[in-house]
Amino acid sequence: MSGLPVTVVALWVLCAAGWGIVLAGLRRSIHGPARGPTLFAHVATPAGVVLTFSLIGFGALYGTLALTAEWWALLLVTGFRPERLLSTGGLGRLAAWAAVTAAATLAAARLVFHI
């Protein structure tokens, strides 16, 4: 793809897949008045993160890397049911999500940036 490293393309594909799977899980599981704001926040997150990282001078790749790690960690910790993070998870599941996200971000950064 015009000189892009394969790891960057793979990161974009994993990011899009993770985003889509989380969206499908949220659409399937959340009902009632919380559904609209939840789906809107999830849909607006990628653009907001990329713009924020670009404005502070890090570029979109760092934001994409962080989002990919967060979404796949969320899916791993909640068993592909993202609503479990807050509805039945408690602080233990939230802490597990944070720890898995940190480990995945570190591993992905080493892979993408060859650290």
Side-chain angles (χ1 to χ4, degrees):
M1 283 189 64
S2 301
L4 279 175
V6 174
T7 53
V8 174
V9 175
L11 179 70
W12 288 343
V13 169
L14 285 172
C15 186
W19 181 83
I21 294 169
V22 170
L23 179 65
L26 291 174
R27 287 190 63 182
R28 179 184 63 241
S29 63
I30 299 196
H31 304 287
R35 184 176 184 170
T38 301
L39 294 177
F40 176 77
H42 182 68
V43 168
T45 296
V49 168
V50 167
L51 286 173
T52 301
F53 273 77
S54 296
L55 281 173
I56 61 176
F58 284 118
L61 187 58
Y62 290 98
T64 305
L65 191 136
L67 281 178
T68 304
E70 289 172 8
W71 285 326
W72 284 101
L74 175 66
L75 292 169
L76 181 68
V77 168
T78 61
F80 286 81
R81 294 180 61 197
E83 78 279 2
R84 288 182 181 173
L85 184 65
L86 297 175
S87 65
T88 61
L91 290 177
R93 190 165 280 172
L94 189 62
W97 177 52
V100 172
T101 297
T105 302
L106 180 63
R110 287 178 179 237
L111 182 68
V112 171
F113 299 115
H114 305 288
I115 300 173

